[in-house]
């Protein structure tokens, strides 16, 4: 009888385990807010999280800060003279990837941080061996493109017909599946910065490059600002275009969201009066790119066109859909419809103005015009 009872209890326990959600599927308890601190640096540009080890990463333009989930500083990487932008954590290799621009040197990189080695404050980006970089040749080619054929590059200025598609460099970065697929191999997607220019007609797309980074180890080089290297893939594995109207410096923060199955794009609003100039867009992750004409280009051109996700606000005249939400300083999809969104600010300490950043917890609602609610 005891043996039968034991077997029955074991069977009941097994059924309970099968019916219960896996531990990994249960939303992890996360703080409603994590402070990234206050620093004499640029404003906060992006955030990333390693939920398993319990660390947050904040990009402050020329500084990377690592904290625990209580906001205590653990380490930092300093010494960037370029522009460190959006970040994403790659769960496959445990490293943080970020956009890094050196416009004067015509050099654009993905910075790869070996975050396990960031264990103290003020580690130097060039000498501490925690940063590797990969050069993005396709971005450089579009940035330096002489579109008016006058034989000269006009440099880091918006008021010029140069810079193909209005490319000002790169900013948004995120890991996710190939466009149009729900699963499969994760690719690194990199969004162009796009200059604000209301006079030209060829700058109304968000330009997104996808890279399979499995073979990137052979390209990785230390950061050498005095002698920028050009080690990187010859071209992206895919180049895609999302029609949103011109925005100010393109996609500031890019994030693939498993909950909605879409790609989220947070931007600084555009200024063209013929567009609605929303601050938040989503690319429909379930719809495959289609070949089509790129409107407004100086010469007829076709590209891989992405479809904006349904819902939100819709501008009938342009066909653009979007929302209003402030995610341009940092956006992380945490799973189960939860997100960290970075809030930027300033404070004065001892007569010095410092930049602040904090990751605040939100949940997805899908409501219009703002599809997120703050979680307190």
């Amino acid at each position: 009888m005891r043996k039968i009872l034991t077997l029955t209890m074991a069977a009941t326990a097994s059924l309970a385990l099968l019916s219960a959600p896996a531990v990994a599927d249960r939303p992890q308890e996360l703080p409603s807010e994590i402070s990234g601190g206050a620093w004499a640096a640029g404003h906060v540009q992006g955030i990333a999280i390693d939920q398993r080890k319990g660390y947050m990463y904040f990009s402050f333009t020329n500084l990377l800060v690592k904290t625990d989930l209580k906001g205590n500083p653990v380490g930092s990487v300093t010494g960037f003279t370029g522009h460190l932008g959006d970040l994403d954590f790659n769960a496959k290799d445990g490293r943080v990837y970020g956009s890094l621009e050196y416009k004067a040197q015509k050099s654009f990189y993905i910075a790869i941080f070996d975050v396990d080695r960031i264990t103290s404050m003020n580690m130097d980006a060039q000498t501490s061996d925690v940063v590797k970089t990969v050069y993005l040749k396709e971005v450089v080619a579009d940035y330096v493109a002489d579109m008016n054929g006058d034989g000269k590059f006009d440099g880091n200025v918006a008021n010029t017909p140069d810079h193909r598609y209005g490319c000002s460099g790169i900013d948004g970065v995120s890991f996710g599946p190939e466009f149009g697929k729900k699963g499969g191999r994760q690719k690194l997607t990199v969004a162009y910065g796009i200059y604000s220019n209301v006079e030209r007609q060829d700058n109304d797309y968000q330009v997104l490059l996808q890279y399979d980074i499995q073979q990137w180890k052979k390209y990785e080089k230390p950061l050498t600002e005095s002698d920028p290297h050009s080690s990187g893939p010859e071209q992206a594995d895919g180049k895609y275009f999302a029609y949103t109207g011109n925005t100010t410096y393109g996609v500031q923060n890019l994030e693939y969201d498993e909950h909605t199955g879409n790609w989220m794009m947070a931007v600084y609003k555009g200024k063209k009066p013929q567009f609605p100039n929303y601050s938040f867009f989503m690319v429909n992750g379930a719809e495959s790119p289609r070949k089509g004409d790129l409107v407004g280009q100086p010469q007829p051109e076709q590209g891989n066109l992405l479809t904006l996700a349904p819902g939100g606000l819709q501008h009938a005249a342009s066909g653009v859909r979007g929302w209003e939400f402030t995610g341009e300083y940092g956006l992380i999809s945490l799973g189960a419809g939860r997100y960290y969104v970075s809030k930027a600010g300033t404070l004065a300490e001892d007569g010095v103005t410092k930049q602040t950043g904090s990751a605040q917890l939100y949940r997805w609602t899908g409501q219009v015009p703002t599809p997120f609610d703050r979680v307190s």
Side-chain angles (χ1 to χ4, degrees):
M1 183 68 179
R2 182 177 296 172
K3 186 175 182 180
I4 293 172
L5 181 59
T6 303
L7 287 171
T8 302
M9 291 173 65
T12 302
S14 297
L15 287 170
L17 284 171
L18 286 171
S19 60
V23 172
D25 294 333
R26 294 175 182 163
Q28 179 183 342
E29 286 296 325
L30 290 167
S32 60
E33 186 164 359
I34 303 173
S35 172
W39 309 96
H43 74 76
V44 64
Q45 300 277 351
I47 53 178
I49 189 170
D50 179 351
Q51 292 192 59
R52 187 175 68 84
K53 292 185 178 180
Y55 293 113
M56 280 288 301
Y57 301 91
F58 296 82
S59 161
F60 284 93
T61 311
N62 56 358
L63 167 72
L64 182 87
V65 175
K66 177 181 181 179
T67 74
D68 62 21
L69 297 188
K70 294 181 179 180
N72 299 308
V74 173
S76 65
V77 182
T78 63
F80 295 102
T81 62
H83 179 285
L84 181 65
D86 189 16
L87 305 173
D88 201 12
F89 178 74
N90 182 7
K92 188 170 182 179
D93 67 10
R95 300 189 292 176
V96 166
Y97 290 62
S99 59
L100 183 59
E101 300 181 309
Y102 293 91
K103 293 182 182 182
Q105 290 85 5
K106 305 173 190 173
S107 297
F108 300 97
Y109 298 101
I110 293 298
I112 305 170
F113 294 88
D114 187 351
V115 289
D116 288 343
R117 302 179 67 177
I118 301 176
T119 55
S120 60
M121 303 304 292
N122 300 314
M123 300 179 73
D124 187 84
Q126 296 185 78
T127 62
S128 62
D129 200 33
V130 298
V131 183
K132 294 291 191 294
T133 52
V134 174
Y135 183 81
L136 301 184
K137 298 181 182 182
E138 187 151 351
V139 178
V140 175
D142 284 343
Y143 176 71
V144 303
D146 178 16
M147 300 302 290
N148 62 355
D150 65 358
K152 66 176 184 177
F153 172 60
D154 291 340
N156 179 23
V157 293
N159 187 23
T160 172
D162 286 347
H163 314 294
R164 187 175 289 109
Y165 314 119
C167 174
S168 68
I170 55 174
D171 220 319
V173 296
S174 179
F175 286 95
E178 188 175 334
F179 287 117
K181 296 182 179 179
K182 288 199 71 173
R185 182 177 297 169
Q186 296 286 290
K187 293 190 173 182
L188 176 63
T189 303
V190 181
Y192 277 16
I194 304 288
Y195 288 108
S196 174
N197 185 325
V198 300
E199 301 299 326
R200 61 192 292 178
Q201 307 302 314
D202 59 348
N203 60 351
D204 292 329
Y205 290 92
Q206 304 302 336
V207 183
L208 304 171
L209 305 180
Q210 285 201 317
Y211 293 93
D212 184 342
I213 66 165
Q214 285 196 121
Q215 304 300 320
W216 268 26
K217 279 283 189 182
K218 64 185 178 184
Y219 301 127
E220 293 178 13
K221 302 289 184 186
L223 178 64
T224 52
E225 293 186 336
S226 62
D227 185 21
H229 73 81
S230 58
S231 175
E234 288 299 321
Q235 60 187 23
D237 296 299
K239 190 171 193 173
Y240 305 89
F241 300 84
Y243 189 72
T244 63
N246 182 236
T247 58
T248 303
Y249 289 113
V251 178
Q252 290 295 297
N253 266 259
L254 178 69
E255 185 75 357
Y256 178 70
D257 176 39
E258 287 189 2
H259 181 69
T260 61
N262 296 324
W263 291 83
M264 297 178 167
M265 303 187 297
V267 306
Y268 298 138
K269 287 189 172 192
K271 298 174 182 176
K272 287 188 176 182
Q274 65 268 40
F275 287 99
N277 299 316
Y278 302 132
S279 58
F280 188 86
F281 303 93
M282 290 199 301
V283 167
N284 189 338
E287 190 159 333
S288 296
R290 67 188 190 282
K291 229 15 169 190
D293 294 331
L294 297 179
V295 300
Q297 302 309 305
Q299 300 295 328
E301 184 178 349
Q302 288 202 321
N304 297 309
L305 304 180
L306 300 170
T307 302
L308 294 178
L313 302 162
Q314 179 151 7
H315 186 247
S318 65
V320 171
R321 292 192 295 268
W323 286 262
E324 296 295 353
F325 185 66
T326 305
E328 63 267 31
Y329 299 116
L331 176 65
I332 304 172
S333 173
L334 299 165
R338 301 169 308 150
Y339 309 83
Y340 271 138
V341 179
S342 184
K343 180 181 179 181
T346 60
L347 60 79
E349 285 185 352
D350 301 322
V352 177
T353 299
K354 295 184 177 181
Q355 298 289 331
T356 65
S358 60
Q360 300 179 334
L361 191 62
Y362 282 76
R363 67 181 182 89
W364 173 260
T365 67
Q367 295 297 306
V368 178
T370 302
F372 302 94
D373 274 347
R374 179 83 189 275
V375 177
S376 58

